[in-house]
Amino acid sequence: MKGIGGALAMFTKKETDQKKNLEETEQQHNDTEYKKEQFAQARQFSRLEKDILAAVLSEEKTYTVQAAQQHIQQFMNGEAQ
């Protein structure tokens, strides 16, 4: 029985490390900026969302995924300018 406790502790630590790595990867992904045409190719967005982004994003600027999602939400709420 003693050995099982040690194995469980190792499993929990490994799982925690994996979650931490996933969170770091997600944070890096969220900080990365993309051009308007890159969002058009993204699998993450639906066809409707891609159409909205094509209408509201500027060709000259870059945007994070979070910023793009905010633009979509603003458009859907009628706040787009």
Side-chain angles (χ1 to χ4, degrees):
M1 287 296 186
K2 217 175 195 185
I4 293 174
L8 290 175
M10 288 175 32
F11 177 74
T12 304
K13 182 177 180 349
K14 184 176 181 182
E15 189 175 277
T16 304
D17 289 345
Q18 288 174 343
K19 286 182 183 179
K20 183 179 176 184
N21 289 340
L22 181 60
E23 289 171 0
E24 288 173 359
T25 302
E26 264 183 40
Q27 184 61 37
Q28 288 171 351
H29 175 69
N30 289 339
D31 292 342
T32 303
E33 293 191 350
Y34 301 94
K35 293 182 178 184
K36 179 177 177 176
E37 67 252 15
Q38 290 175 297
F39 285 109
Q41 302 298 321
R43 294 181 181 174
Q44 176 176 349
F45 296 103
S46 70
R47 184 70 214 144
L48 175 62
E49 291 170 328
K50 289 177 185 180
D51 288 344
I52 292 169
L53 292 174
V56 299
L57 298 184
S58 172
E59 293 284 341
E60 299 84 31
K61 293 184 179 181
T62 57
Y63 305 87
T64 63
V65 172
Q66 183 179 8
Q69 290 169 336
Q70 288 175 346
H71 281 285
I72 293 168
Q73 193 62 40
Q74 287 174 346
F75 183 87
M76 297 295 272
N77 291 334
E79 300 170 9
Q81 296 180 5

